[in-house]
Amino acid sequence: MTTYVLTAIGDDRPGLVAALAAAVDENGGNWVDSQLALLAGKFAGIVQVDVPEGNVGAFLEALPVLAEEVGLEVEANVAGAGAGSPTGESLRLHLLGQDRTGMVREVTSALTSQGATIDGLRSWTREAPEGGGMLFEAEAEVRLAAGADDDGIREALEQIAAELMVDLELDATD
């Protein structure tokens, strides 16, 4: 088996996921994991699939056909050698504050400075109550480096939270 990570993007319409799933299945592949989303009228997804060695060629040839038939651009990359289970402690991060440019950069730079990895990130904006402008909210799954504790990351994030004037919570995952 060869493990691929597929990235897919196209204008949203019914049948995109079904078409991709059919290409995987018709080539003997197994849909292992995925994250799919709709953003600003675009469908975007990342999918991990396993494909039998003998079917790799046909599978890779089937992917460009999806762009022609359903408008879904798919790129396939062989999974990295480091693929596997995370080794460090996992934490859940929640941020809420007035929307402004640079927030994601500031928070992710603080995480990087402590050797943390982002396993998942979801962010969005919404109207603040009573006409208070726009709020930015984010949730992330963060993994510390193996053997690291959360004190350094908490300190770095608390400093960022004070500078950005946001509420920031960091909790251990269950």
Side-chain angles (χ1 to χ4, degrees):
M1 288 280 190
T2 300
T3 300
Y4 285 95
V5 175
L6 310 176
T7 54
I9 190 163
D11 291 332
D12 185 42
R13 70 186 248 342
L16 296 178
V17 176
L20 182 55
V24 172
D25 187 55
E26 289 168 3
N27 289 286
N30 183 36
W31 187 293
V32 178
D33 198 359
S34 62
Q35 293 187 19
L36 311 171
L38 178 62
L39 295 171
K42 292 284 187 184
F43 166 82
I46 184 166
V47 182
Q48 177 185 342
V49 299
D50 291 333
V51 179
E53 297 296 332
N55 298 13
V56 165
F59 173 68
L60 294 176
E61 289 174 7
L63 297 180
V65 174
L66 295 174
E68 297 166 15
E69 291 182 354
V70 296
L72 186 64
E73 300 283 338
V74 181
E75 182 179 321
N77 291 281
V78 175
S85 300
T87 57
E89 178 184 359
S90 292
L91 302 171
R92 184 169 303 126
L93 170 70
H94 182 260
L95 177 141
L96 176 65
Q98 286 296 122
D99 187 31
R100 74 168 186 79
T101 61
M103 292 178 79
V104 173
R105 181 180 183 183
E106 298 265 352
V107 172
T108 57
S109 292
L111 295 172
T112 300
S113 75
Q114 300 301 308
T117 300
I118 298 171
D119 290 339
L121 171 66
R122 172 143 165 47
S123 64
W124 58 96
T125 57
R126 61 182 167 96
E127 294 278 337
E130 305 194 24
M134 292 298 288
L135 294 175
F136 176 83
E137 193 164 0
E139 294 177 345
E141 295 173 34
V142 177
R143 184 172 23 98
L144 300 180
D149 63 25
D150 62 1
D151 291 338
I153 201 161
R154 284 184 190 282
E155 185 177 313
L157 289 172
E158 285 172 3
Q159 182 178 357
I160 294 297
E163 291 172 10
L164 296 175
M165 295 188 301
V166 297
D167 292 328
L168 209 147
E169 298 173 20
L170 187 66
D171 302 306
T173 57
D174 296 329

